[in-house]
Amino acid sequence: MIKAVGLDIDGTLYPNYQMLLCSLPSLVTAPRLMYYFGQVRKEIRQIEYDESLHAKQAQLLANKMNISPQKAADRMEQHLYHRWEHSFRCI
């Protein structure tokens, strides 16, 4: 039974510059969050973890920003994932 399918879409299904342009509102409204989230994304590729990707990202982000994991998860959802969902529509 197939549970998930992953695709590498950056630069394949659309040019990277379009996603960068559509991501600018996230950078402008939450630069500190974007900075630390970028660090977390690099770090998460190097470690093993048992919990979900979002939970681990929230934990790592919380440690870097000195906030609770729930607050980090809320910020990621509001400033990144929710906003990026709309960004894909402009690409």
Side-chain angles (χ1 to χ4, degrees):
M1 173 205 257
I2 297 174
K3 291 188 175 190
V5 175
L7 301 171
D8 178 14
I9 58 175
D10 291 343
T12 304
L13 297 179
Y14 58 82
N16 282 336
Y17 77 89
Q18 284 183 324
M19 185 58 186
L20 289 172
L21 289 174
C22 291
S23 298
L24 281 177
S26 294
L27 179 61
V28 171
T29 60
R32 186 170 175 258
L33 174 67
M34 290 293 289
Y35 173 76
Y36 287 120
F37 185 73
Q39 288 184 346
V40 165
R41 294 296 294 179
K42 287 179 187 175
E43 185 178 335
I44 210 159
R45 293 181 184 107
Q46 306 299 318
I47 62 174
E48 291 186 26
Y49 52 93
D50 294 329
E51 64 266 52
S52 75
L53 173 65
H54 284 234
K56 187 61 178 179
Q57 286 179 154
Q59 176 194 6
L60 293 171
L61 186 62
N63 292 342
K64 290 185 181 300
M65 296 185 73
N66 215 13
I67 58 177
S68 73
Q70 183 58 54
K71 192 169 189 175
D74 291 345
R75 287 187 180 177
M76 284 189 315
E77 185 62 35
Q78 176 187 3
H79 293 285
L80 303 176
Y81 292 117
H82 179 72
R83 186 168 282 162
W84 290 347
E85 189 176 310
H86 295 287
S87 294
F88 278 103
R89 293 187 183 128
C90 78
I91 295 176

